[in-house]
Amino acid sequence: MSDLPFIRCLGCESTVFDPTRAACPGCGRCPVCGTRRFKTEVKTCPDCELPYCDCCGRCPQCAGLRYSEIITPCECGHPQDAEKLADLVRYEAAVGAIRRPTPWGCILAALTLSAVVLLLIYAWKG
């Protein structure tokens, strides 16, 4: 494992894993963009032939992770894009994460659009 803090998966919200992995061992999604990279059809550990945990994707005997052999990066660049990896660790760490900045531009655009719609409705009825 790396020295990076563990992250919580945004897809299944129950798996906690090393952020340098190519995909969540629980649901098979990329932890940065959420693209489902692998289906969770792999149900048993190839070494122990025991079923992987439905929650964390670990083998109960050898503690091996599902999809641990997958190292190819996602289309978004994870895990090789250092900036995305740093953001992932900063905002999604299982312990000590900080809140993402509020997207004020989106909020202001939505409020402006709402005001325009209300003005149009008022003008149409008036």
Side-chain angles (χ1 to χ4, degrees):
M1 293 291 196
S2 72
D3 292 335
L4 295 172
F6 289 90
I7 60 166
R8 187 171 308 280
C9 178
L10 297 173
C12 58
E13 297 181 354
S14 59
T15 307
V16 175
F17 62 101
D18 182 349
T20 60
R21 294 208 172 271
C24 170
C27 66
R29 288 185 175 94
C30 172
V32 172
C33 67
T35 303
R36 187 174 294 272
R37 300 202 56 211
F38 313 102
K39 295 185 178 180
T40 52
E41 294 169 347
V42 179
K43 297 290 183 189
T44 59
C45 175
D47 298 330
C48 307
E49 296 184 9
L50 288 171
Y52 285 112
C53 174
D54 289 334
C55 179
C56 67
R58 283 199 180 277
C59 171
Q61 183 172 349
C62 70
L65 283 172
R66 184 178 3 196
Y67 311 122
S68 62
E69 72 281 359
I70 308 297
I71 57 170
T72 56
C74 180
E75 292 175 0
C76 71
H78 178 76
Q80 294 179 342
D81 187 332
E83 187 176 317
K84 288 183 181 182
L85 187 61
D87 279 351
L88 183 67
V89 170
R90 184 179 309 120
Y91 299 123
E92 305 305 333
V95 176
I98 61 173
R99 287 184 48 198
R100 288 191 181 273
T102 305
W104 290 109
C106 293
I107 293 171
L108 291 175
L111 288 174
T112 304
L113 183 60
S114 298
V116 168
V117 169
L118 289 173
L119 286 172
L120 288 173
I121 291 172
Y122 179 76
W124 182 63
K125 287 186 176 187

